Amino acid sequence: MGMLDQLLHGFSIALTPQNLLFVFVGVLAGTIIGILPGLGPMSAIALMIPIAYGMEPTSAIIMLAGVYYGAIFGGSTSSILLNAPGVAGTVATSFDGYPMALRGKAGKALAIAAISSFVGGTIGVVGLMAIAPSLASFAVSFGPTEYFALMVLGLTAVVSLGGRNLVKGLVAAVIGVMVALVGIDSQTAIVRFTFDLPELYEGVEFLIVALGVFALAEVLVMLNRRGRGGARGGVTSLRLSGGELRRITPPTLRSSVLGFFTGVLPGAGATVASFLSYSMEKKLARDGDTFGQGNPKGVAAPEAANNAAAVGSFVPLMTLGVPGSGTTAILLGALLVLGVQPGPMMLTDNPDMFWGVVASMYVGSLVLLILNLPLIPVFAKVLNTPKAVLVPLVVVFCVVGVYGLSFSVFDLGLLAAFGAIGFLMRRNDFPAAPLILGLILGGLMETSMRRALQISGGEWSVFVTEPISAGLLAVAVLSLLPAVVRALRGRRRPGPAAPAPAAEEEARDRAPTPRG
Amino acid sequence: MLRVTKTHVSPSVPAPGAFRRLPGVRAAAAGAALPLLLAACGTAEGGTAEDGTWTPTKPIEITAPAATGGGWDTLARTSARLLEEEELVDQSVQVVNKPGAGGAIGWAYVAGHAGDPHKLFVTSPPILLVPMAGDSDHDHDDFTPIARLATDYMVYLVAADSPVETFEDLAAEAGSGGYSVGGGSGPGSMDHVALAGALEASGADATRANYIPFDGGGEAMTALLGGHVDAAVVGVGEALGMLESGDMRAVAVSSPERVDAVADVPTLVEQDVDFTFDIWRGVMAPADLEEAQVAYYEELFADLMETRAWQEESARLGWTDAYLDSEEFGAFLDDTREEFSAILTEVGLQ
Amino acid sequence: MSGPTTEHPGGAPSGGSARRARRWNPLSPVAPERAFRFSPRTLGVAIGLFALGYLALAFQMPDYTAVSVPVQPSTLPRWLGVALLILAVLLFFQRAPEEEAPAGPAAGTAPGSGDASPAPSEAADGGAPGEEGARLGRLEDPRLETGLFVAALCVYVALFEPLGFVLSTALYLGSMTWYLGYRRHLATAAVALGLPFALYAGMTWGLGVVLPSGPLPF
């Protein structure tokens, strides 16, 4: 077990008192930065690079790993408490995390997020250790054709995320893809839907849309409801019962594995992983129809998946020199700045660094768990803030997050516009999740499709003749079948298919039943 | 296109003009409220001393108009790191990636900061090629040339187990159609021209070559590694790792003479293909810079290239030094544009 | 209109309600549950018009001709436009939920009529939070209230760079918190003055994310 030896050596580096201190500092700083909407792991790492730069490379990377995990957890925290996902990877967490918080279970939701993140990270590290070299060939087996199929599979989640009114879910998804296409086309450099505004050439920043349609829209809904039905103050204990732990264990494990392999693909990453696992668990769960209303499994699955994917994305980074996610791209930058060149030679040339990074990621996630579980009740106190104070504060945090990203007042205007759109969508039962999904996957899907067709010379059959692509598309079709059947049945018997008008909205209204 | 797609698959640094490391600097900047406000608006700011010299007043940002891991990115990060390491600047130097549209997205970003002396970007032939194809609203006339630093060359890669042995083999395959060749830039841009020009010179039908644009050489090589494309055209610097590990083979390099870093790869000229293509790399700044600011950066990069660390890095990356100052660089750009225009017309891309 | 209203948001509640009375008299203030809810017909038409506009733009998009590409940059947008148009038509013909439930003009009862559970829970909600009051805002019509809130946000954004982060945020936080009905004015002042400064210090000096400073000398 040469690899185990090397990993142990990696741990011996990561566990020196000095490096442990750096992990603590990193985790704490990362959590604080990550809680601010708009500042996710990417920004947190980028912000810490100048500080890390003066340090010894291994310690620097170890601290950055701490920042990384801290920021992911911080992002989940704002997703759960304020419905303000600061990172694409934690959007899916807010689907059930925020409703849980509305029901006074914020502590539990945060604890589930922390635990399942830790499990996801652990499984990721084990996977990395056991099969890293052979994973490189898995990573490159995905070309444009396969990515197209994967994105299609991801987009089928629209049906399960779309709530009860499929048409409205699809409208949201189509608009999400439309937003994704704004800007200069990377395949031909033709400008699309920018109205000659240079601010739109680079496209619409994901975060603006996410903060608009989730956080701002939520604030507006709260206001519209006169403050009734918002999050309840007072937080129940974060302790999970044995039964709850048992219920979230299988989704956590499954999502960790799925997330890890999705993360290994350089074109997919944590966001795709979290959406795929969320929709998979929603379909597998017997209580799948309560997803979106505060089902603990709906928090555990995406959290486990995005952390496992984060670890998985180190495979293409370390073995190919190709970053698999925005965060690893920043880490790649950090490595380059520190004079380490990741690439096919890294495992042989620089094994210390490789295993040091792996071990420190693991230590980082462990420290995070130890450090943050006691802090959860403190974070959850946010919900005790009177709404009249909380509402303007959320707006300010969104504004700071967006401005800190692009330094553009134009983007602040976009934020306000998406807030208004998100509010109108909420009021009229258009689900926001498919919009986000279309936004994230739509652009990738189009680019992959066009690249694949360029390779095949315009031959559409490649999507079904390539085995991986065909398999993924088959899964996509299969996953649509139940919904199609349901829709057909619903048409025959109109009664039950047209339930109460304001499905999701009222589910949330109803959510905060008085405790105790 | 969606920005997060970029930030997701590839990088983007969140805070332009952001890093501040030294407390002293912090205090200095804090003492100057007006520059801060103006900087936020992306307007020019005065750091010019009474004797007419200029020094940066805040962190310098070097934009790489491509994803992490490509040639531009390598140049940007190497210079940023060495500038700091060799203590040539008092400010921190930060790299920002603005990938997409063969560079046009990055240029649009820099062009939006006219007069801002803290926003440099790394540049190479696409700054000429992409505007020629009508794919960018900005060409090199919209920026201030600072210096040409080094040149790099293209390698023509195939998978290690490919039957293609020489460039002639490659040309025969590519010219017969249905043979896909990946590159890291948009159609009609640098990698494509390097391919089409070489094919044309070898007598093959360049218009039949199936060129596939990826977001950077790294992505193109990943696709070659997975067998999704049959060959790839990337810079020598980008390909070194893959060549060293034996995952890929280079059938030719576009330099006039063999390159030290890949000494066993024959040039095109050696293979009776009369074509060379060099990827010069330089640094440019937004339009409307003051003379003192240009002079500062000219000297800064000349100093940088004197350092031993630069020499080591550039040998490692397969670059050859080719310094030109601002004025010479500007003239060189104008000349090269003429030359490229001729090639493009010949190949039928213009 | 948004300018003065937000500078002194709700500064004169009576004035506000007087204006509301004038402008909204024909439509009595709607219940929160009804505000900004539209029938599938309206939504279908709105989305259909958007789809048509989008399609018009998509069909004006130039083709890429330098190299032959199997899929043009305008291809997917055209499909998307058509898909959205079809969805808009489907939406148009969906049964309106409002038509099922008799539309009580100003009845503030639970929207999902037939489901009784929301009522008690909301009643409990109203009582529980205590001193800061369950009711956010001052205007009777939630539509006007929402419009005011969005307008305040726009003013905040417009003043963000001219006034700088600290001043604009202090102004926004202070006025909104007060307007929304938080009665501990000392706490309001502390938050409105302390938080923007703390955020500014943390972001600008701590993290190097430079927020606009405005006329303040730091």
Side-chain angles (χ1 to χ4, degrees):
Chain A
M1 282 300 275
M3 272 194 192
L4 193 60
D5 286 347
Q6 282 174 324
L7 183 67
L8 287 177
H9 177 61
F11 273 113
S12 72
I13 297 168
L15 290 174
T16 59
Q18 187 202 359
N19 287 342
L20 272 179
L21 179 73
F22 282 128
V23 170
F24 267 100
V25 170
V27 165
L28 200 61
T31 309
I32 292 166
I33 297 174
I35 285 176
L36 298 173
L39 297 181
M42 265 196 302
S43 339
I45 290 176
L47 293 170
M48 298 298 277
I49 285 177
I51 296 164
Y53 174 60
M55 295 162 53
E56 195 252 320
T58 316
S59 301
I61 293 291
I62 285 172
M63 187 185 76
L64 291 179
V67 171
Y68 184 20
Y69 273 92
I72 292 181
F73 181 79
S76 314
T77 309
S78 54
S79 285
I80 290 170
L81 294 180
L82 299 175
N83 207 20
V87 217
T90 64
V91 169
T93 308
S94 69
F95 296 163
D96 279 281
Y98 185 66
M100 276 185 83
L102 290 183
R103 292 181 173 186
K105 290 188 192 162
K108 271 189 185 170
L110 288 169
I112 290 170
I115 292 168
S116 52
S117 296
F118 175 72
V119 173
T122 307
I123 289 178
V125 171
V126 171
L128 195 58
M129 187 181 72
I131 44 178
S134 47
L135 280 174
S137 61
F138 171 71
V140 299
S141 69
F142 269 63
T145 320
E146 288 77 12
Y147 279 120
F148 170 75
L150 185 68
M151 297 309 148
V152 169
L153 176 61
L155 280 171
T156 60
V158 165
V159 174
S160 57
L161 293 175
R164 303 191 195 170
N165 192 328
L166 186 58
V167 171
K168 287 183 173 177
L170 288 175
V171 166
V174 168
I175 291 176
V177 180
M178 285 174 168
V179 174
L181 299 186
V182 171
I184 298 176
D185 170 33
S186 74
Q187 288 296 286
T188 60
I190 281 179
V191 172
R192 299 194 283 186
F193 304 105
T194 58
F195 307 98
D196 288 331
L197 294 168
E199 289 90 345
L200 286 176
Y201 280 9
E202 290 170 57
V204 178
E205 175 66 57
F206 157 79
L207 196 74
I208 297 171
V209 184
L211 288 179
V213 300
F214 285 107
L216 272 190
E218 178 65 27
V219 160
L220 282 167
V221 167
M222 217 185 264
L223 188 77
N224 201 49
R225 251 192 245 132
R226 302 293 175 171
R228 283 172 304 181
R232 291 306 310 261
V235 176
T236 53
S237 97
L238 52 96
R239 200 162 290 169
L240 302 171
S241 70
E244 282 170 317
L245 275 180
R246 263 195 304 281
R247 279 207 300 146
I248 64 163
T249 302
T252 304
L253 295 180
R254 274 194 298 263
S255 301
S256 300
V257 175
L258 177 70
F260 177 68
F261 282 101
T262 314
V264 167
L265 304 172
T271 312
V272 179
S274 62
F275 275 100
L276 279 179
S277 69
Y278 183 86
S279 78
M280 175 180 82
E281 288 306 327
K282 181 170 175 164
K283 278 173 198 137
L284 288 179
R286 239 174 266 142
D287 52 353
D289 53 334
T290 63
F291 269 54
Q293 296 166 23
N295 191 321
K297 293 177 194 168
V299 177
E303 280 296 300
N306 70 27
N307 278 269
V311 180
S313 63
F314 273 71
V315 171
L317 174 67
M318 299 291 200
T319 58
L320 302 171
V322 177
S325 69
T327 312
T328 44
I330 298 290
L331 271 179
L332 173 63
L335 286 169
L336 290 172
V337 164
L338 294 165
V340 181
Q341 173 79 55
M345 301 309 286
M346 180 148 175
L347 249 177
T348 39
D349 284 359
N350 215 340
D352 271 19
M353 178 57 88
F354 182 89
W355 295 110
V357 169
V358 172
S360 63
M361 286 176 63
Y362 190 71
V363 173
S365 70
L366 187 67
V367 168
L368 176 85
L369 193 67
I370 296 166
L371 191 73
N372 277 326
L373 277 180
L375 283 179
I376 286 175
V378 181
F379 293 142
K381 285 242 162 60
V382 164
L383 299 177
N384 287 342
T385 315
K387 290 214 191 63
V389 181
L390 189 64
V391 162
L393 276 184
V394 171
V395 172
V396 168
F397 277 117
C398 292
V399 164
V400 171
V402 168
Y403 191 82
L405 200 74
S406 60
F407 298 93
S408 152
V409 170
F410 180 87
D411 281 357
L412 292 182
L414 274 184
L415 173 74
F418 277 105
I421 292 171
F423 170 70
L424 290 176
M425 285 173 62
R426 283 279 304 272
R427 291 303 299 152
N428 293 288
D429 310 321
F430 286 89
L435 181 111
I436 294 293
L437 196 67
L439 180 68
I440 290 171
L441 301 183
L444 287 171
M445 183 197 70
E446 196 214 12
T447 308
S448 314
M449 175 184 81
R450 288 163 62 188
R451 240 175 232 155
L453 288 172
Q454 183 81 43
I455 293 174
S456 74
E459 198 56 63
W460 287 83
S461 62
V462 284
F463 296 116
V464 287
T465 53
E466 293 287 330
I468 297 178
S469 159
L472 288 170
L473 288 176
V475 175
V477 170
L478 282 179
S479 73
L480 286 179
L481 273 184
V484 171
V485 169
R486 216 181 313 133
L488 288 179
R489 236 183 245 160
R491 194 149 297 167
R492 241 172 276 142
R493 287 177 297 145
E504 209 165 285
E505 179 76 16
E506 259 55 68
R508 287 197 167 172
D509 271 52
R510 236 174 274 136
T513 38
R515 290 176 301 115
Chain B
M1 111 213 47
L2 173 66
R3 262 184 262 160
V4 82
T5 315
K6 294 286 153 205
T7 36
H8 187 64
V9 179
S10 45
S12 136
V13 173
F19 300 147
R20 188 156 298 130
R21 294 166 56 212
L22 308 168
V25 173
R26 214 172 283 169
L34 195 59
L36 268 182
L37 172 66
L38 289 173
C41 307
T43 326
E45 65 190 82
T48 314
E50 280 175 22
D51 61 356
T53 60
W54 179 87
T55 47
T57 51
K58 49 179 214 144
I60 298 166
E61 183 183 302
I62 302 184
T63 299
T68 344
W72 275 336
D73 182 63
T74 312
L75 176 63
R77 289 192 190 277
T78 306
S79 348
R81 178 163 61 87
L82 294 182
L83 284 174
E84 285 196 351
E85 239 170 50
E86 301 290 319
E87 291 171 0
L88 294 170
V89 279
D90 296 333
Q91 297 287 344
S92 68
V93 185
Q94 175 200 352
V95 173
V96 174
N97 292 87
K98 295 277 177 193
I105 289 173
W107 300 326
Y109 166 76
V110 177
H113 291 273
D116 183 344
H118 296 103
K119 289 222 178 343
L120 306 178
F121 69 102
V122 290
T123 183
S124 61
I127 188 71
L128 302 173
L129 288 164
V130 175
M132 261 187 245
D135 293 337
S136 168
D137 292 348
H138 305 279
D139 62 14
H140 76 268
D141 296 328
D142 295 319
F143 303 102
T144 311
I146 297 289
R148 190 181 78 177
L149 303 182
T151 68
D152 185 5
Y153 300 97
M154 285 288 183
V155 279
Y156 302 85
L157 297 172
V158 293
D161 57 358
S162 163
V164 169
E165 293 290 338
T166 64
F167 188 79
E168 200 186 336
D169 298 347
L170 184 72
E173 290 280 1
S176 64
Y179 192 81
S180 53
V181 185
S185 57
S189 185
M190 184 172 68
D191 298 10
H192 190 189
V193 170
L195 173 72
L199 289 177
E200 191 75 11
S202 75
D205 184 357
T207 55
R208 300 202 61 180
N210 190 11
Y211 176 79
I212 317 294
F214 286 88
D215 291 338
E219 265 190 43
M221 287 192 291
T222 312
L224 174 59
L225 210 54
H228 308 290
V229 293
D230 301 308
V233 193
V234 302
V236 171
E238 295 171 89
L240 280 177
M242 291 288 184
L243 288 174
E244 203 185 329
S245 69
D247 290 319
M248 294 177 186
R249 244 173 337 106
V251 294
V253 59
S254 70
S255 54
E257 279 156 33
R258 288 203 183 197
V259 178
D260 287 343
V262 284
D264 54 339
V265 179
T267 64
L268 286 168
V269 181
E270 277 178 61
Q271 303 182 52
D272 293 326
V273 178
D274 185 21
F275 182 77
T276 61
F277 190 93
D278 71 321
I279 318 159
W280 40 267
R281 307 206 184 259
V283 179
M284 294 180 98
D288 306 328
L289 250 56
E290 292 162 24
E291 254 174 57
Q293 294 164 345
V294 174
Y296 170 82
Y297 282 118
E298 273 180 344
E299 195 171 330
L300 181 67
F301 282 97
D303 288 349
L304 171 69
M305 291 175 62
E306 296 288 309
T307 62
R308 204 187 147 78
W310 171 271
Q311 296 299 334
E312 281 171 8
E313 284 296 319
S314 85
R316 191 171 68 80
L317 295 167
W319 295 339
T320 317
D321 279 0
Y323 181 83
L324 291 179
D325 68 20
S326 173
E327 203 179 315
E328 294 163 341
F329 189 27
F332 168 81
L333 287 169
D334 293 338
D335 291 348
T336 317
R337 175 157 55 184
E338 300 293 307
E339 188 189 324
F340 279 163
S341 175
I343 296 177
L344 281 171
T345 314
E346 220 168 281
V347 181
L349 278 171
Q350 200 180 37
Chain C
M1 165 215 149
S2 68
T5 337
T6 325
E7 298 274 321
H8 317 280
S14 57
S17 66
R19 182 168 35 184
R20 175 192 52 75
R22 266 202 306 280
R23 187 167 297 178
W24 295 88
N25 222 4
L27 306 160
S28 56
V30 299
E33 294 78 14
R34 295 234 162 268
F36 296 104
R37 286 189 65 89
F38 302 102
S39 71
R41 236 154 247 263
T42 320
L43 292 171
V45 168
I47 292 169
L49 286 176
F50 174 80
L52 285 176
Y54 188 89
L55 274 172
L57 283 176
F59 274 96
Q60 280 167 24
M61 201 181 288
D63 271 357
Y64 184 75
T65 48
V67 180
S68 82
V69 286
V71 180
Q72 287 292 343
S74 58
T75 310
L76 184 65
R78 287 174 194 180
W79 293 354
L80 286 175
V82 171
L84 195 61
L85 203 57
I86 294 171
L87 288 170
V89 171
L90 288 178
L91 198 59
F92 185 83
F93 288 111
Q94 268 189 358
R95 215 146 28 110
E98 273 87 349
E99 285 160 14
E100 291 174 357
T109 47
S113 56
D115 190 346
S117 71
S121 89
E122 279 180 14
D125 253 339
E131 26 82 66
E132 86 266 18
R135 204 180 151 82
L136 288 178
R138 293 158 188 243
L139 301 177
E140 239 175 278
D141 191 323
R143 291 173 297 190
L144 208 56
E145 193 79 80
T146 310
L148 190 66
F149 187 82
V150 172
L153 175 60
C154 291
V155 171
Y156 175 39
V157 167
L159 294 179
F160 195 73
E161 278 189 349
L163 278 192
F165 173 76
V166 176
L167 285 183
S168 61
T169 305
L171 205 65
Y172 177 78
L173 272 183
S175 54
M176 282 315 284
T177 306
W178 172 74
Y179 175 76
L180 290 175
Y182 188 60
R183 292 190 203 106
R184 292 185 189 164
H185 299 303
L186 215 60
T188 303
V191 169
L193 295 177
L195 190 103
F197 187 77
L199 261 181
Y200 182 81
M203 299 284 278
T204 301
W205 300 328
L207 297 176
V209 178
V210 182
L211 297 171
S213 60
L216 291 183
F218 49 80

